[in-house]
């Protein structure tokens, strides 16, 4: 098949550090090429891919000084739409696969080739809901079943879980003595809750995470005072090699999330390393983590804000009951890049066939 | 001439016809109804609550401001445009009054298009210019004045100028005004409302201010305008069309000391139609709309010292009795009637069709 994949332009593909969508797009494009398809990747010009790269901008938006100005950034995204449409008109592909979400939606019904949009973000944001409701008939892919809950009326054609490249994570049966928190310091990721739980359980916690500008205050006020450098350590943002070691040596990943995370890529990264996940039952968690087998899925705090850490602390204490091999096995079975690509390939065939009748 | 099938595409921020002040919406309403009356088959793409003599097509029931959609939100418009471009087959021509976002869809239709550029494009809007470049030799553009065409940052190969038309019956002539000066517009710094106040104060004249205050401009109004209000300088709020024409008719002069190159000042045409001379800074279309010394005064924006020429406005106010109000009316009748606007657009449609 001739397939055009539209990537976000914020980061290069693959991303040097943090960037879930770009990572998924990178794997998807490369593996589709390996399976013999002709892939056009519409992305920033500094991307590396086995596909034919069509640069929409010369460099990742994050690197452009103009992109610091929110207004200009929005305008640049318009320019990107104009260039994407121009490119797509020329390419004449069998199928178009967009990862840029709602910005593409108004144009989909005008494109000659069938177009599928993978929804990467949460759908419980009013603005996002308002836009997608205008275009409910586009074929959408959800990245977990839980993601659909807030916008069930869209035309979903599949749930396809994100996959990771297994070779980038070492399986390890014998972890060290710490628990891990990975990703971003923020209230919705539950950084504070992870620290409190670790303290109550009297275990070590290492925090490897980046701090966005918006979360600076949260870090200064709620997190920093709890970091003692012994029991609770903060090691900053880490790259792929460090992450590999960080995850495989952890007793478990703590994810007391406070939001409906549509898909936690870091859950499967941990599990691929043999590291179980202890997370609140929100968003995609119950679809990824098998309670009692690859970690523990804990009932979240009551809505009336009564914080009860009892169950979470207990889960930390009984972490040795989990067979680390089961974690790795679950990822091998459901969450590899290969599995993801197989699923997308199947979907593309289905959608193009439909179009021919 | 053969009657043709025309699609008129309105912006959807305000209802049509507009309840209060909204220039573009008024023009689209008048043009659409006028073309129907001339026997063309016209479809108006607007919102569901639009009143029109044409066939109405819509995907949104109410306008975006009625639904309280914030200005920064572009998706209401894109939704509208996406719908429009799905439905342009079988029209001889599609005439757009929407903004430059429309161009993102241009490649999706084979129907000839005409864009009326109601809003100027600044040379700093580099991204819009970048998008437009690809089309500058393909698209048909219509500007609201020669000045607007000249100031447009890109040279558009196929372009015309059509002045906006106003309903001359609604803005009827009054030979004997009262003693006040008038300023009408959206309350914005660049619309020259502060200049008008200053000139009126120096000339010791009564001044009425009229116009909408957008939410974002409430602070500006509080700080810069409100402190000047008095017995002599009054802010009257926003008027409907009927009350508006009465206040034009009874004004001694229309004061419009704008600080930006306005592409077409509809208010200047309306004032003159009522017989009211216009005092305006020489910006944008001012010298095309006002005949200096005959239907008002086109005052240089800066004086010899390079300062804002408030004194020039004051002199003009003092000389206002030298202008014959009949001349103002006559000028408006000749240049700014809906009839001639419609005829001009008709001509352009035929010209475009002849080329295709």
């Amino acid at each position: 098949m001739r397939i055009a994949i539209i990537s976000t332009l914020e980061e290069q593909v693959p991303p040097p550090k943090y960037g879930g969508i770009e990572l998924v797009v990178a794997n998807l494009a490369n593996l589709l090429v390996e399976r013999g398809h002709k892939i056009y990747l519409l992305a920033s010009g500094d991307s590396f891919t086995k596909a034919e790269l069509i640069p929409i901008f010369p460099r990742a938006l994050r690197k452009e000084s103009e992109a610091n100005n929110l207004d200009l950034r929005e305008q640049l995204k318009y320019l990107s739409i104009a260039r994407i449409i121009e490119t797509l008109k020329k390419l004449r592909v069998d199928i178009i696969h967009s990862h840029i979400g709602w910005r593409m939606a108004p144009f989909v019904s005008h494109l000659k080739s069938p177009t599928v949009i993978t929804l990467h973000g949460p759908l419980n944001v009013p603005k996002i809901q308002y836009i997608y409701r205008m275009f409910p008939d586009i074929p959408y892919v959800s990245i977990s079943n839980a993601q659909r809950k807030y916008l069930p009326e869209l035309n979903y054609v599949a749930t396809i879980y994100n996959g990771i490249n297994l070779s980038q994570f070492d399986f390890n049966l014998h972890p060290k003595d710490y628990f891990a928190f990975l990703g971003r310091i923020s209230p919705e990721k539950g950084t504070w809750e992870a620290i409190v739980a670790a303290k109550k359980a009297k275990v070590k916690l290492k925090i490897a995470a980046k701090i966005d500008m918006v979360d600076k205050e949260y870090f200064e006020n709620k997190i920093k005072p709890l970091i003692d450098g012994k029991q609770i350590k903060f090691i900053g943002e880490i790259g792929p090699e460090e992450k590999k070691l960080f995850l495989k040596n952890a007793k478990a990943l703590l994810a007391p999330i406070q939001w409906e995370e549509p898909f936690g890529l870091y859950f499967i990264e941990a599990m691929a390393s043999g590291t179980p996940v202890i997370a609140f039952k929100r968003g995609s968690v119950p679809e990824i983590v098998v309670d009692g087998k690859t970690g523990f899925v804990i009932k979240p705090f009551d809505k009336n804000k009564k914080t009860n850490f009892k169950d979470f602390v207990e889960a930390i204490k009984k972490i040795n009951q989990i067979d680390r091999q089961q974690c790795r096995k679950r990822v091998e079975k459901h969450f590899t890049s290969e599995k993801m690509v197989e699923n997308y390939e199947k979907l593309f065939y289905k959608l193009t066939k439909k179009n021919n009748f | 001439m053969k009657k043709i099938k025309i699609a008129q595409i309105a912006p959807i921020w305000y209802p049509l016809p507009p309840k209060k002040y909204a220039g573009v919406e008024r023009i689209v309403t008048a043009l659409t109804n006028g073309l129907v009356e001339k026997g063309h088959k016209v479809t108006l793409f607007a919102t569901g609550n639009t009143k029109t003599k044409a066939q109405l097509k819509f995907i949104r029931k109410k306008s975006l401001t009625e639904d309280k959609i914030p200005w920064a939100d572009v998706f209401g418009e894109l939704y509208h445009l996406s719908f429009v471009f799905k439905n342009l087959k079988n029209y001889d021509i599609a005439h757009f009054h929407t903004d430059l976002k429309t161009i993102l869809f241009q490649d999706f239709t084979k129907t000839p298009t005409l864009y009326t550029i109601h809003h100027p494009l600044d040379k700093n809007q580099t991204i819009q210019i970048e998008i437009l470049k690809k089309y500058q030799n393909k698209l048909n553009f219509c500007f609201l004045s020669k000045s607007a065409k000249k100031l447009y940052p890109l040279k558009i190969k196929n372009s015309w100028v059509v002045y906006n038309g106003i309903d001359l019956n609604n803005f009827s002539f009054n030979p004997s005004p009262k003693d006040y000066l008038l300023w009408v517009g959206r309350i914005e710094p660049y619309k020259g409302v502060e200049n008008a106040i200053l000139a009126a104060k120096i000339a010791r004249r009564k001044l009425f201010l009229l116009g909408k205050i957008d939410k974002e401009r409430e602070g500006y109004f509080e700080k810069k305008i409100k402190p000047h209000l008095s017995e002599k300088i009054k802010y009257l709020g926003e008027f409907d069309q009927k009350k508006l024409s009465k206040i034009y008719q009874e004004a001694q002069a229309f004061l419009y000391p704008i600080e930006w190159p306005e592409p077409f000042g509809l208010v200047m045409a309306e004032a003159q139609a009522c017989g009211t001379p216009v005092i305006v800074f020489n910006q944008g279309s001012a010298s095309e709309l006002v005949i200096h010394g005959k239907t008002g005064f086109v005052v240089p924006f800066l004086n010899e010292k390079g300062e804002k020429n408030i004194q020039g406005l004051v002199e003009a106010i003092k000389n206002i009795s030298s202008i014959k109000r009949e001349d103002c009316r006559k000028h408006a009748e000749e240049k700014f009637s809906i009839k001639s606007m419609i005829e001009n657009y008709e001509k352009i449609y035929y010209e475009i069709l002849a080329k295709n």
Side-chain angles (χ1 to χ4, degrees):
Chain A
M1 273 187 286
R2 292 163 55 83
I3 306 167
I5 299 178
I6 309 168
S7 173
T8 56
L9 303 163
E10 298 282 339
E11 271 293 357
Q12 64 200 87
V13 176
K17 279 189 176 175
Y18 195 82
I21 302 176
E22 292 84 359
L23 195 60
V24 166
V25 170
N27 285 330
L28 182 62
N30 288 340
L31 289 175
L32 283 169
V33 171
E34 283 172 18
R35 292 171 92 95
H37 300 288
K38 175 70 192 171
I39 307 297
Y40 300 94
L41 178 62
L42 285 64
S44 72
D46 49 4
S47 298
F48 296 97
T49 177
K50 293 181 182 167
E52 181 172 336
L53 177 66
I54 301 184
I56 296 301
F57 289 134
R59 304 188 303 160
L61 267 188
R62 203 164 286 180
K63 292 182 189 163
E64 304 290 348
S65 58
E66 282 162 312
N68 289 329
N69 178 330
L70 273 183
D71 209 33
L72 259 173
R73 196 187 184 108
E74 208 41 50
Q75 288 197 40
L76 278 171
K77 286 184 181 165
Y78 269 111
L79 181 58
S80 76
I81 293 283
R83 290 188 176 156
I84 287 166
I85 290 168
E86 194 187 343
T87 308
L88 292 176
K89 292 241 356 161
K90 280 187 204 145
L91 283 182
R92 299 183 164 275
V93 291
D94 298 315
I95 194 150
I96 298 164
H97 183 193
S98 171
H99 296 267
I100 61 173
W102 42 273
R103 283 196 177 78
M104 202 60 205
F107 303 94
V108 165
S109 70
H110 298 273
L111 295 164
K112 288 246 161 58
S113 318
T115 303
V116 55
I117 291 181
T118 291
L119 300 167
H120 285 282
L123 299 179
N124 57 348
V125 185
K127 183 187 169 178
I128 303 274
Q129 292 182 337
Y130 148 80
I131 295 169
Y132 282 128
R133 279 197 183 112
M134 293 186 214
F135 308 98
D137 302 329
I138 296 171
Y140 291 103
V141 171
S142 48
I143 55 172
S144 65
N145 294 324
Q147 188 189 24
R148 300 182 182 187
K149 186 173 142 196
Y150 294 92
L151 212 48
E153 64 266 47
L154 300 186
N155 174 30
Y156 296 101
V157 289
T159 284
I160 299 180
Y161 295 125
N162 287 335
I164 52 169
N165 189 344
L166 271 180
S167 67
Q168 287 170 0
F169 296 90
D170 286 347
F171 173 65
N172 176 23
L173 261 177
H174 307 289
K176 294 186 176 164
D177 65 342
Y178 67 89
F179 287 74
F181 179 94
L182 178 68
R184 237 172 347 108
I185 304 270
S186 73
E188 68 268 19
K189 290 273 184 185
T191 318
W192 179 81
E193 287 79 1
I195 297 174
V196 173
K199 286 192 150 213
K200 284 186 191 271
K202 301 194 168 65
V203 297
K204 283 189 189 166
L205 178 69
K206 282 191 191 177
I207 301 168
K210 72 166 188 168
I211 309 165
D212 282 341
M213 282 301 279
V214 285
D215 295 315
K216 263 249 143 70
E217 210 182 301
Y218 171 75
F219 176 73
E220 291 295 328
N221 294 339
K222 288 203 81 172
I223 305 304
K224 214 173 158 188
L226 299 178
I227 294 169
D228 56 18
K230 283 180 192 141
Q231 191 193 354
I232 312 294
K233 275 190 185 163
F234 175 62
I235 60 175
E237 191 180 358
I238 53 177
E241 277 309 306
E242 289 167 286
K243 188 160 81 179
K244 191 156 106 179
L245 292 173
F246 179 70
L247 282 175
K248 78 174 195 185
N249 288 324
K251 276 180 124 44
L253 178 80
L254 301 189
I257 51 168
Q258 304 294 309
W259 70 310
E260 308 302 316
E261 188 146 8
F263 191 91
L265 205 58
Y266 60 129
F267 301 161
I268 57 174
E269 290 175 344
M271 280 156 56
S273 318
T275 302
V277 177
I278 305 174
F280 278 136
K281 190 178 180 179
R282 298 191 67 161
S284 58
V285 167
E287 290 172 64
I288 300 174
V289 183
V290 183
D291 185 36
K293 198 172 176 192
T294 73
F296 295 103
V297 179
I298 313 290
K299 194 171 156 271
F301 297 146
D302 284 343
K303 281 218 173 78
N304 57 26
K305 283 276 169 195
K306 236 184 93 192
T307 46
N308 181 358
F309 283 95
K310 197 174 139 267
D311 294 346
F312 209 95
V313 171
E314 229 148 74
I316 293 175
K317 286 183 176 160
K318 61 183 184 189
I319 199 65
N320 290 333
Q321 293 175 12
I322 302 290
D323 174 4
R324 290 177 73 96
Q325 295 197 40
Q326 292 299 327
C327 299
R328 175 81 177 186
K329 270 191 188 148
R330 178 152 176 82
V331 179
E332 282 169 354
K333 198 163 173 210
H334 298 285
F335 304 117
T336 61
S337 301
E338 289 79 11
K339 186 81 200 163
M340 172 180 75
V341 172
E342 253 169 54
N343 286 330
Y344 273 112
E345 198 180 38
K346 252 186 244 163
L347 175 68
F348 294 162
Y349 278 125
K350 202 169 117 196
L351 290 173
T352 48
K353 213 171 174 187
K354 228 185 192 168
N355 200 54
N356 286 338
F357 283 116
Chain B
M1 281 292 225
K2 179 180 154 251
K3 299 302 172 197
I4 55 175
K5 220 178 151 191
I6 306 165
Q8 291 288 336
I9 298 92
I12 53 164
W13 285 102
Y14 292 107
L16 259 73
K19 291 194 178 79
K20 287 189 174 166
Y21 206 87
V24 183
E25 288 73 10
R26 255 202 283 171
I27 295 300
V28 177
T29 305
L31 175 62
T32 302
N33 290 339
L35 288 166
V36 172
E37 281 162 15
K38 296 197 88 168
H40 298 290
K41 230 176 151 194
V42 189
T43 301
L44 176 62
F45 289 87
T47 52
N49 56 354
T50 296
K51 286 191 197 81
T52 177
K53 292 181 181 167
Q55 182 199 26
L56 180 67
K57 283 193 181 168
F58 65 91
I59 192 147
R60 250 197 108 85
K61 283 185 193 135
K62 280 201 210 155
S63 70
L64 297 173
T65 49
E66 285 170 290
D67 282 342
K68 303 205 162 48
I69 305 292
W71 286 107
D73 193 329
V74 296
F75 271 81
E77 284 176 286
L78 290 176
Y79 185 42
H80 172 60
L81 289 169
S82 180
F83 167 74
V84 170
F85 276 85
K86 273 269 141 186
N87 288 282
L88 284 187
K89 268 186 211 157
N90 307 324
Y91 288 97
D92 294 312
I93 190 154
H95 185 175
F96 287 91
H97 302 272
T98 45
D99 75 6
L100 283 181
K101 280 192 267 321
T102 316
I103 301 212
L104 294 175
F105 294 90
Q106 175 64 44
D107 287 345
F108 296 127
T109 189
K110 288 190 174 114
T111 303
T113 55
L114 173 67
Y115 291 77
T116 288
I117 304 303
H118 289 280
H119 304 288
L121 183 62
D122 192 274
K123 63 175 189 304
N124 297 324
Q125 288 173 281
T126 47
I127 285 159
Q128 282 85 340
I129 293 172
E130 176 75 31
I131 295 175
L132 199 53
K133 255 187 197 154
K134 211 185 107 202
Y135 297 98
Q136 71 185 118
N137 295 324
K138 288 190 211 163
L139 289 180
N140 301 305
F141 269 32
C142 191
F143 293 97
L144 297 183
S145 62
K146 288 175 208 154
S147 142
K149 180 174 166 173
K150 202 177 130 197
L151 292 173
Y152 209 66
L154 271 181
K155 205 164 156 43
I156 305 295
K157 197 174 152 214
N158 306 316
S159 57
W160 295 265
V161 169
V162 175
Y163 292 135
N164 281 335
I166 53 170
D167 190 335
L168 291 162
N169 297 324
N170 285 341
F171 297 97
S172 56
F173 179 62
N174 174 31
S176 35
K178 294 188 174 162
D179 63 342
Y180 62 86
L181 306 171
L182 177 66
W183 176 96
V184 178
R186 222 168 340 108
I187 303 286
E188 293 271 7
Y190 60 85
K191 290 265 185 181
V193 52
E194 290 169 75
N195 300 335
I197 292 172
L198 197 53
K201 274 186 168 177
I202 297 170
R204 294 171 188 281
R205 301 293 297 271
K206 226 192 252 178
L207 172 68
F208 292 158
L209 308 171
L210 212 66
K212 193 168 76 172
I213 307 171
D214 282 339
K215 237 191 149 46
E216 304 80 58
R217 288 291 177 238
E218 277 166 8
Y220 169 74
F221 180 80
E222 284 298 312
K223 263 191 217 141
K224 297 282 185 174
I225 309 301
K226 216 173 166 186
H228 296 289
L229 300 182
S230 64
E231 264 310 294
K232 285 194 124 172
I233 316 256
K234 279 187 186 159
Y235 171 67
L236 305 181
E238 202 184 351
F239 280 16
D240 63 20
Q241 193 268 315
K242 220 169 158 187
K243 276 166 91 181
L244 180 65
S245 54
K246 191 166 159 54
I247 200 134
Y248 276 130
Q249 285 161 353
E250 295 182 342
Q252 202 166 51
F254 182 69
L255 212 47
Y256 204 48
I258 43 174
E259 299 195 4
W260 75 305
E262 191 148 322
F264 187 91
L266 206 55
V267 285
M268 292 190 267
E270 291 168 348
Q272 290 177 86
C274 298
T276 304
V278 175
I279 299 168
V280 60
F281 272 148
N282 192 7
Q283 295 269 12
S285 61
S287 59
E288 289 171 72
L289 266 71
V290 179
I291 306 172
H292 181 65
K294 192 168 184 200
T295 74
F297 296 102
V298 181
V299 178
F301 177 51
L302 300 175
N303 64 17
E304 286 127 13
K305 290 183 204 152
E307 303 156 340
K308 249 189 259 178
N309 190 6
I310 303 295
Q311 196 53 39
L313 299 174
V314 175
E315 303 288 324
I317 294 169
K318 285 181 182 159
N319 291 328
I320 205 68
S321 55
S322 67
I323 303 291
K324 288 195 205 103
R325 291 181 70 93
E326 296 79 11
D327 287 341
C328 301
R329 172 71 186 182
K330 223 177 122 206
H331 177 56
E333 282 172 356
E334 281 165 11
K335 283 274 177 83
F336 310 122
S337 71
I338 287 179
K339 190 168 165 277
S340 56
M341 173 179 80
I342 293 168
E343 282 168 7
N344 287 332
Y345 275 124
E346 236 182 344
K347 264 185 233 159
I348 296 172
Y349 299 157
Y350 287 127
E351 224 180 289
I352 292 171
L353 292 190
K355 260 195 275 181
N356 280 45

